[in-house]
Amino acid sequence: MTPHPLRQAAALLSQARQVVVFTGAGMSAESGVPTFRDALTGLWRQFDAQALATPEAFRADPALVWGWYEWRRSTVRRVQPNAGHRAVAAIESRLPGTVVVTQNVDDLHERAGSPAPVHLHGSLFAPRCSACAHPAPVADGEEPPDGRRLPPPGCVRCAAPVRPGVVWFGEALPPDALQAAAEAAASCDLLVTVGTSGVVYPAAEIPQVAARLGATVVQVNPEETPLDRVADLNLRGPAARVLPALVD
Ligand code: BV8
Ligand code: ZN
């Protein structure tokens, strides 16, 4: 009789030589961070996330886009990492050399104990000048308005508007992050993909490279995704329930 998929995945994890954990917005869903597409409330509801997360949108209406990111950042600050994030950190502490590659722009992996996740799409906590790239401080304290415009601060060095430190659609991913992710995918023997719809490129290439180069791919997602076709094992369930079962 075939063992239960959870037991199969736990066995793969315990025998793995090198693991990559590849995560998307579903990883943070149970912490209360809206996934990318349902992060549109209030004023932003009338927009398509893909249109708002672009340099053009920021140029056209900096206060609209800056307000959206500051609201998303304030949401992340208010929530906690979930049991899924903690299970990922447990995998890393048990198997040195494990690489966490995330598409998420929140800091929940770090706050759960992951030492150095590879952020393919940047971070809500690394604003920078839109002109000279000078790092800008992260505004503390006051809650940004939910669903309203908020003019971005000016760069202390050149006075140009500060922008979110994330990768927008149409922008290149940070070369060093992409390189680190590709190298990890090429050398791992097990890749666990968690909570990603697998539609955003080039990030979605990462699990496919691992599969092409012979790694076993385990997917954790309550729904079917395009990555079903590269996954050797599909664990249909939420990250905060499935991942702890793999490390217990
Ligand atoms: C680039 C930061 C070139 C910003 C993000 C065709 C037309 C136009 C463009 C393209 C095209 N084909 C490819 C492109 C390029 C484009 C792209 O891929 N578009 C897609 C949408 C078709 N890519 C780009 O533009 C990239 N850059 O190509 O540049 C270039 C090269 C050189 C020089 C110059 C230019 C840049 C892409 C990065 C965009 N930025 N984020 C921000 O966050 O605001 S991506 C953004 O969307 C998120 O960060 C996230 O990564 C992504 C959404 O994906 P997911 O993480 O998968 O989240 P999603 O909500 O989709 O799915 C959640 C999943 O979780 C679901 O499957 C759900 O079932 C599951 N889930 C739910 N609950 C749970 C769960 N799973 C587990 N547990 C749960 N509890
Ligand atoms: Zn500047």
Side-chain angles (χ1 to χ4, degrees):
M1 180 179 87
T2 335
H4 185 282
L6 268 179
R7 265 200 288 288
Q8 275 183 282
L12 284 167
L13 200 51
S14 65
Q15 291 147 17
R17 176 184 41 77
Q18 190 187 337
V19 173
V20 168
V21 183
F22 178 70
T23 68
M27 182 79 234
S28 301
E30 286 151 286
S31 293
V33 179
T35 63
F36 187 60
R37 284 156 189 79
D38 42 10
L40 294 164
T41 61
L43 164 74
W44 304 300
R45 198 180 32 248
Q46 61 198 299
F47 295 95
D48 162 27
Q50 234 142 279
L52 217 47
T54 63
E56 295 74 24
F58 183 71
R59 256 195 303 283
D61 191 341
L64 174 82
V65 175
W66 180 256
W68 184 45
Y69 280 93
E70 282 300 275
W71 172 74
R72 286 173 62 193
R73 189 173 60 79
S74 71
T75 305
V76 170
R77 287 163 59 104
R78 271 199 311 272
V79 302
Q80 297 305 320
N82 62 54
H85 292 104
R86 289 193 295 276
V88 170
I91 293 170
E92 291 178 273
S93 53
R94 284 187 196 169
L95 189 60
T98 297
V99 179
V100 175
V101 177
T102 188
Q103 301 171 83
N104 298 338
V105 292
D106 62 51
D107 62 348
L108 297 180
H109 277 305
E110 289 86 342
R111 287 164 54 194
S114 289
V118 176
H119 278 275
L120 290 177
H121 295 156
S123 165
L124 290 169
F125 296 87
R128 64 173 188 271
C129 173
S130 57
C132 75
H134 187 64
V138 174
D140 257 335
E142 85 287 345
E143 271 304 273
D146 175 1
R148 286 210 310 278
R149 285 178 168 72
L150 184 67
C155 166
V156 291
R157 195 159 67 175
C158 76
V162 168
R163 60 160 284 174
V166 301
V167 179
W168 278 326
F169 287 98
E171 293 187 322
L173 276 57
D176 50 345
L178 192 53
Q179 165 96 17
E183 281 167 7
S187 56
C188 73
D189 57 335
L190 175 65
L191 182 140
V192 184
T193 172
V194 187
T196 183
S197 54
V199 297
V200 173
Y201 281 82
E205 284 281 5
I206 295 301
Q208 299 175 57
V209 164
R212 241 191 333 267
L213 296 178
T216 303
V217 175
V218 173
Q219 177 170 226
V220 178
N221 195 319
E223 289 166 19
E224 214 172 303
T225 77
L227 293 175
D228 278 43
R229 63 183 164 75
V230 294
D232 300 282
L233 202 53
N234 268 309
L235 305 178
R236 286 267 183 269
R241 182 155 54 77
V242 170
L243 290 174
L246 300 188
V247 292
D248 280 352

